[in-house]
Amino acid sequence: MKILNFGSLNLDYVYDVDHFVLPGETMSSLHLFINCGGKGLNQSIAAAKAGNAVYHAGIVGSGGDMLVKELEKNGVDVSFMQTIDQPNGHAIIQVDRKGQNCILLYGGTNQMLTKEYIDATLNAFGNEGLVLLQNETNLVGYIIEEAHKRGLQTALNAAPMNEKVLGYPLDKLDWLIVNEVEGSQIAGCRPEDDILPILKEKYPHCSILLTLGSRGACCCHQGETYSIPCHRVNVVDTTAAGDTFSGYFLYSMLNGGTVPEALQLASAASAIAIGKKGAADSVPMKVDLEEALKNGILKELPVEKID
């Protein structure tokens, strides 16, 4: 199935640090890496590497040529993209010695989508496929409404979470993808509460994928809920782990996989991603993922049906 991703495009400035910078502290970084990133770009590449036909829609700014080339190199169609002479989106990322990260975003051209551009892109894409969204661009609510009108499936990864998400027409989504913090804020509960039942009640026609970091993930789809633990691997960089999980999970679901199969595939893909530095570069090719599973480098995880 085709995927149209209205997605962010960031130049990532990644600093290796001993620990995250504290208020008032000045600290030297250990290394600097400049990578192509943005949740949109990462998810487009993950979905394309998994085997989907992916079309990326977005606006590239000054110095963003390498972002377009990165998408093309990884098999993503960029024919819907536009370029303007404005500052490009970028991110400043700290990665500590444990592989954890903290990220400061500047939206730039990711916040310059127009309704005219969105309408023209949706019209050119057609009425079959899935529209993938994250919360790093503007007009997300408008895109959900327009895609729904055209009969397209829609999936939103509600990250980074802010108050705008609560104003989106989430009831018109086919898939809502959240982590524990995002899910609790949308559900209006505490992170330690049972998030899925509340989200299921609020959005009964929407399937929900809830990622739980080191505790795995849960998915509610068509009245059934499944959970999976995570692979225990050496953590190098978690920057694109969630994007990799989403991209591979959607690939499996859009191509006839069951929820347990999708969770297995996505968990294995994200385990490989966190073992490498970088964002888009850390997303594994499907052939490499299959090889790791075939050779027993990654073991099949138990998937539990909750209800």
Side-chain angles (χ1 to χ4, degrees):
M1 184 179 290
K2 297 188 302 179
I3 292 178
L4 172 61
N5 184 9
F6 281 93
S8 56
L9 301 149
N10 289 330
L11 294 171
D12 286 349
Y13 298 88
V14 184
Y15 298 87
D16 279 349
V17 295
D18 181 73
H19 59 272
F20 297 151
V21 179
L22 301 173
E25 180 182 20
T26 299
M27 182 176 67
S28 296
S29 65
L30 304 173
H31 300 98
L32 167 64
F33 304 91
I34 301 176
N35 302 317
C36 296
K39 293 193 74 64
L41 179 140
N42 294 340
Q43 289 189 353
S44 280
I45 289 176
K49 283 185 172 181
N52 290 295
V54 181
Y55 298 76
H56 194 97
I59 300 177
V60 179
S62 305
D65 292 347
M66 65 184 293
L67 298 167
V68 179
K69 292 177 181 177
E70 184 72 11
L71 288 168
E72 290 180 312
K73 182 182 77 174
N74 287 284
V76 178
D77 189 303
V78 297
S79 58
F80 294 140
M81 294 178 64
Q82 290 186 352
T83 302
I84 61 176
D85 186 19
Q86 294 290 333
N88 209 98
H90 67 259
I92 296 173
I93 303 173
Q94 298 179 60
V95 180
D96 70 11
R97 291 186 181 276
K98 297 178 181 179
Q100 298 301 308
N101 66 71
C102 63
I103 303 173
L104 176 65
L105 288 175
Y106 172 71
T109 51
N110 295 320
Q111 297 295 320
M112 298 180 187
L113 300 180
T114 65
K115 291 181 179 180
E116 292 76 16
Y117 169 70
I118 292 166
D119 291 342
T121 302
L122 287 171
N123 290 338
F125 182 70
N127 297 332
E128 293 184 359
L130 177 136
V131 173
L132 178 60
L133 299 160
Q134 312 82 37
N135 197 34
E136 288 184 351
T137 69
N138 63 322
L139 295 176
V140 172
Y142 181 79
I143 299 171
I144 295 172
E145 293 277 9
E146 291 302 311
H148 183 75
K149 287 179 186 177
R150 290 166 167 79
L152 291 161
Q153 293 188 51
T154 52
L156 170 67
N157 185 336
M161 181 64 193
N162 56 36
E163 68 282 353
K164 292 191 297 184
V165 173
L166 302 179
Y168 297 155
L170 302 181
D171 57 314
K172 295 182 179 177
L173 290 171
D174 293 278
W175 284 97
L176 175 62
I177 303 170
V178 291
N179 64 21
E180 194 169 18
V181 174
E182 296 150 5
S184 66
Q185 291 181 24
I186 295 171
C189 65
R190 297 171 301 175
E192 60 267 26
D193 290 338
D194 202 349
I195 297 168
L196 273 182
I198 300 174
L199 292 178
K200 284 161 57 177
E201 184 175 350
K202 290 185 72 170
Y203 310 111
H205 304 297
C206 177
S207 297
I208 298 159
L209 175 62
L210 173 65
T211 59
L212 300 167
S214 62
R215 295 189 291 116
C218 299
C219 177
C220 176
H221 178 61
Q222 295 181 346
E224 296 183 336
T225 302
Y226 295 87
S227 68
I228 190 171
C230 73
H231 292 273
R232 300 300 175 186
V233 296
N234 182 45
V235 176
V236 175
D237 185 351
T238 62
T239 303
D243 301 326
T244 301
F245 195 102
S246 300
Y248 268 88
F249 181 88
L250 290 174
Y251 163 78
S252 184
M253 293 303 299
L254 293 174
N255 289 277
T258 64
V259 170
E261 290 169 343
L263 289 172
Q264 288 280 4
L265 190 70
S267 296
S270 61
I272 293 176
I274 65 175
K276 299 179 182 179
K277 281 191 174 294
D281 290 342
S282 71
V283 180
M285 295 291 293
K286 189 165 182 285
V287 63
D288 297 329
L289 175 57
E290 291 171 342
E291 192 71 15
L293 292 169
K294 178 182 177 181
N295 294 335
I297 298 172
L298 293 173
K299 304 292 185 182
E300 186 170 295
L301 295 171
V303 178
E304 179 185 0
K305 186 176 181 181
I306 299 174
D307 56 21

